[in-house]
Amino acid sequence: MKFIKTFIVLLIITGIALGVYAFYDYQKVLKESAPIQTLSFNDVEINYKNASVEYHILNGLIPIKRDFQNLDQANLISTNIVNTLSALETDQIEITYPDGTIQNVVGISQINLEENGTYLFKLLRTLDKTNYQFEFSVDVDSRPTISISNQNPVQGELLIVEINNIPLNSQIDIDNHFRPSAIIQKDYKARFYLPMAYREAAKVYPLTLSINNQTYNYELDVKTYEFKEIHFTVSASVSSSTVGNNDAVTQYRETIYPLYETFETEEYWEGNFINPVEGARISSTFGEMRFVNNAKTPSRHAGIDYAIKCGTEVLASNAGKVEYAGFLTMIGNTIVIDHGLGLKTFYEHMEDITITQGDMVEKGQLIGHVGTTGYSTGCHLHFQAMVKNQSINPEFLYTIND
């Protein structure tokens, strides 16, 4: 009996001690500060709306949950289609779109919001026995950003027009005096090339872009390029067998003219183009006015002539697909490379050709050797660059990414 009384007393004392200890633990829990946890949307920090934290007292015997509340997050504003969210891989994210549809995703870091309007976000995060809920809204008002490489170009220059922040598969229309290349769209971006055809007058030309029925107007103030004048003589035999040969002219037109309308849908080139012949002398400049055999009216030179001994290596100026490789009576052994979207380089009067039509070539790859075939008065490479039927100054390609 005495033992039972003693046991009861000890049990009561233990219970009191445990109660005191539990009360002490509980008071510590009540004094705990709210847990620190944020995420960011486009580098704007967002605090959680509420958090449910699991604590344990009496060395983990008794679980206790405590809820923390934060003020609601104010609306965010974004002008981007592509946005960044600093989500964890395990975060559960619910997105309500402007039209009311709901998408549930896990742990995404890139948020693509193509439609303008208000998006509601709920994000649930579990971390170290704590459940966080973030809630915020984003008002999206995205607009295209348009970049033109030079609005004050010179005759023969190639412009690159880049359009960013547009929905996938956007409708893009171009209205301009010059003929643009094909357009490439990828990853909410688009770009195309606009050649300032060297034969066109130096003056102001309007450029209108229509993007998903929204119009953007620009002006291109084309400046005069100082074209040289040259007088030289070509033997009657060379002239009569090439430029004076109707069959040769027909062959040239039937082979080359159709290439003005074809294009590769991918961009193969990267970085600046390179000079296709190392150490050569420029014997004829781009666009120069040529008075041949005392002609009273000049012809125009559409490329650059690099004079150097026959047999010198000719290199691909940049990566691309060989669209033509063969012999034409008027211009001799010729290669045409499409670098993408219809930006093409031409290599003419070559001694031989070391690649074949349809090949993919890399920048700096050997494609043949300098010769003097076709309408030529000596060893040289005629190097030409075109978009559709418009020749551009190849020298601009050497600094296109500068």
Side-chain angles (χ1 to χ4, degrees), residues 55 80 123 149 151-152 174 196 236 247 251 267 284 309 327 369:
Y55 296 98
N80 304 326
L123 186 147
S149 58
Q151 288 186 239
N152 299 283
I174 306 160
M196 303 292 99
D247 289 339
Q251 179 194 46
E267 288 182 304
S284 290
K309 68 179 181 179
F327 181 83
H369 297 86

Side-chain angles (χ1 to χ4, degrees), residues 200-258:
E200 300 298 327
K203 63 178 185 179
V204 175
Y205 294 92
L207 169 63
T208 300
L209 301 179
S210 176
I211 305 172
N212 299 322
N213 298 318
Q214 182 67 44
T215 300
Y216 304 86
N217 296 307
Y218 299 90
E219 288 187 340
L220 303 176
D221 188 3
V222 180
K223 306 298 184 181
T224 300
Y225 184 87
E226 296 298 329
F227 298 109
K228 293 183 178 180
E229 181 179 309
I230 188 173
H231 298 256
F232 67 96
T233 301
V234 178
S235 68
S237 61
V238 171
S239 293
S240 62
S241 64
T242 54
V243 295
N245 182 335
N246 288 334
D247 289 339
V249 172
T250 299
Q251 179 194 46
Y252 175 85
R253 289 176 175 172
E254 290 179 349
T255 304
I256 299 299
Y257 283 13

Side-chain angles (χ1 to χ4, degrees), residues 35-56:
I36 298 173
Q37 190 70 199
T38 60
L39 60 80
S40 62
F41 183 91
N42 290 346
D43 296 325
V44 177
E45 286 194 352
I46 302 170
N47 291 315
Y48 62 83
K49 182 179 180 182
N50 57 62
S52 177
V53 185
E54 184 177 332
Y55 296 98
H56 291 82

